[in-house]
Each structure stands twice: as structure tokens, then as C-alpha cells.
Amino acid sequence: MPQPLALLLVLAVAAAVSALLCVLLRPLLVRYALARPNARSSHRVPTPQGGGIAVLGGLFAALGLTLAILPPVPGLGSLAFVVAASAALAVVGAWDDIRPLSPGLRLGLQALCVAVAIVYAAPDIRLFPAALPLAVERLLALLAGIWFVNLTNFIDGLDWITVAGFVPLAGALALACALGIVDPATGALAAALCGGLIGFAPFNKPVARLFLGDVGSLPIGLLGAYLLYRLAGNGALAAALILPLYPVADATLTLLRRLARRERVWEAHRSHFYQQATTNGHAVLAVVTQVTGLNLALVLLAGLTLLLPALWAQLACLAAAVLLTARLLRRFARPAASA
């Protein structure tokens, strides 16, 4: 089977299984996993969480299909560790959804899962071999992975916003595989993640009937970090920096501002730019539409960095991505009438 058709099959299976699991699990989640409004919430009524189980279920089913009916895919051995780490992190997230863990224990378990998925499962990747010792590079990769897992969780606070962020990202990685830029195993994982989120999307559209929960946002963050790390390791560092720029910028700037105000950064809040946007009068659908539009523009800029390998072109695309992201953050921080 031609590779693009194989990736479409993986995506379709993940989407179908995810949607089916959303339908089957929702009554159970309504009974046992209601998310009640709190200081961080953008919703006003109790809403079931745990949709991440369906997303991961679709992803695992699609990858199982890849193993069962397609020719052997190079790199699946390493992918097994990534899948295992994401499943373990989903268990951590589910536990935290039901009975909140202490910040230290939660962070330690996250670090262990990130170490397995990024440090252990991708030993062949070196981003700066001439500039950094291997141990330093691995430590930086670990810290970046932990931060990406957490920022994905932080950003997952509005209907459809994680879908708006990760469907373009995962779709771009699957397309990169079809074009021969990343390996087939990475492409299969990206297509499965994209499909799982597409299947979940109808249930999370504003006003959401189902949330991802930590059981979904944490492993999705881990999978996204792994995909971006693989992309960077294939000589596309600029593209890997551009694709996740909105969630990275929103979460990082928010954290720095809260640290500067000496706030307890581990406590719930509504300081993120996308949260400010709804407070400032922007409709939820308008917020996620603008985030989607920005992410599609970032996909195009990331693609340009692959077509134009010259340093000046890479820097120009990065600068354009930063400017577009800054413009949207500024718009979200202002009242809707003056944005």
C-alpha cells in the first residue's frame, strides 16, 4: 500500500475508534468523572472529563492495525516505548483527575515517563553534537519534554483549543512522513494522534459535552514532544520550533508573569492569554478559530523552512512566526471591542 494511503487509513481508524469510545464512555464519565467549575475553568456547568481515554484508545487501535496488516515499519521498536510511556502518563493523569496528586509526585512521575519516551526511545538523535556534550543535551531534552507535557495541560482549558493546536501539528508531521522528511513510525504515530483528536472533536466543540482531562492532555503533550523531537532530529529544527509556538508562547509567558508577581504557579488560575480573551469578551469559538488560523499559518512557515534551507530563510520564517504569535497574544489580552 502506498505510504500516503497507509497514513490515511491509520488516521481514519483512529478517528472512528475515538468517536465510538466517546459515545460509549460518556455515560460512565458523567457518573464518575465530572469536572466541576473552579478558578481555572472556562465552563459554567459540571462536564464529564476523560475524553483522553477515547483519543488514546483510537491511537492505540490505529497503531495496532499498522502492525497487523501493513508491512513492517522501521522504528516501531522505539515507538513501543513511547506508547508505553504515554499509557503510563495517562494513568497518572487519570489518578490526578480523580484524586489530585502532590505537585512533587506528579512532576516526578512525569519526568520518568518523559525520560522513557524522549531520552531512552530516541537515543540516535543529536541536535547540537558539536556544541553540547551528550549528557547536557539529554538533560535539556528531558526538561523541554517535561515543560511541553505541562504546558499542554495548562493550555487545555477551553473547548476545542487542544484540537486546534494538535490536529494541525500532528497532521503536518504525518504529511512530512508522506514526503519522506520523517521516518514511517513517526508518521504513523502522528496520523494516529491526529485521527484520535478528530474523532474526539465533535464532543468537545463549544459548548463541550466532554473534556480531555489530565488523562488526555498529559500523554498528548508527551506524544507531541516526541514527534517534535523526531522532527528536529531529522534536520528540521526550525520547523520543530515553529509548529508549537502558540501553546509554548502562551504558557511560558504566563508562567514568567506569574513568577514575577510571586504567585503560587502550581495553583489554578485564569491568566493564560486564551483565558484573558474570553474574559475580555471574545467568544470561545472566535478564540479557537483564531488559534487554528495561526497554527495553520505556522504549518506553512514550517514547511517553508524545509523548502528553503538557507540560514536567512530559516531566521525569516522564525521571525514571521514569532510576530504572528505575538500579534494574536496581544489581541487576546485586549478587550474584544478594541482588538
Side-chain angles (χ1 to χ4, degrees), residues 28-36 47-50 97-98 210-211:
L28 188 66
L29 296 173
V30 167
R31 186 172 181 180
Y32 294 108
L34 277 181
R36 302 188 182 279
T47 305
Q49 59 185 343
D97 281 335
I98 298 170
L210 185 62
F211 295 154

Side-chain angles (χ1 to χ4, degrees), residues 28-296:
L28 188 66
L29 296 173
V30 167
R31 186 172 181 180
Y32 294 108
L34 277 181
R36 302 188 182 279
N38 58 33
R40 176 176 178 256
S41 303
S42 296
H43 65 289
R44 298 181 178 179
V45 297
T47 305
Q49 59 185 343
I53 299 171
V55 174
L56 292 178
L59 184 147
F60 296 156
L63 291 179
L65 177 72
T66 301
L67 287 172
I69 71 171
L70 298 179
V73 175
L76 280 179
S78 294
L79 201 59
F81 290 101
V82 179
V83 169
S86 64
L89 197 52
V91 172
V92 174
W95 191 323
D96 202 36
D97 281 335
I98 298 170
R99 182 178 296 176
L101 301 170
S102 68
L105 178 58
R106 183 168 61 241
L107 189 62
L109 293 172
Q110 290 172 1
L112 179 61
C113 293
V114 171
V116 170
I118 293 182
V119 178
Y120 185 78
D124 56 317
I125 294 180
R126 288 299 307 272
L127 301 183
F128 310 105
L132 294 175
L134 177 61
V136 174
E137 186 171 317
R138 290 286 184 265
L139 177 60
L140 292 176
L142 176 64
L143 294 175
I146 294 170
W147 177 229
F148 199 81
V149 166
N150 281 281
L151 71 85
T152 301
N153 179 243
F154 298 156
I155 291 297
D156 184 44
L158 197 67
D159 301 344
W160 254 357
I161 196 164
T162 301
V163 173
F166 278 82
V167 166
L169 187 154
L173 267 293
L175 180 60
C177 173
L179 297 175
I181 298 167
V182 297
D183 60 276
T186 299
L189 179 61
L193 177 58
C194 185
L197 285 168
I198 289 173
F200 166 73
F203 302 89
N204 190 239
K205 69 178 181 179
V207 174
R209 294 180 293 139
L210 185 62
F211 295 154
L212 278 175
D214 287 2
V215 67
S217 62
L218 295 179
I220 287 171
L222 178 61
L223 293 169
Y226 175 79
L227 290 172
L228 292 166
Y229 192 45
R230 297 296 309 183
L231 179 62
N234 279 273
L237 178 60
L241 293 173
I242 288 172
L243 285 173
L245 194 53
Y246 174 77
V248 169
D250 190 326
T252 303
L253 290 174
T254 300
L255 177 67
L256 292 175
R257 289 187 306 169
R258 297 192 72 208
L259 285 172
R261 294 195 293 261
R262 298 183 180 180
E263 297 179 8
R264 296 181 178 181
V265 295
W266 56 89
E267 293 183 349
H269 65 95
R270 285 188 51 81
S271 304
H272 286 286
F273 287 88
Y274 72 89
Q275 293 170 323
Q276 293 181 50
T278 57
T279 302
N280 288 333
H282 298 263
V284 170
L285 188 57
V287 172
V288 294
T289 299
Q290 291 176 79
V291 171
T292 303
L294 171 63
N295 284 324
L296 291 175

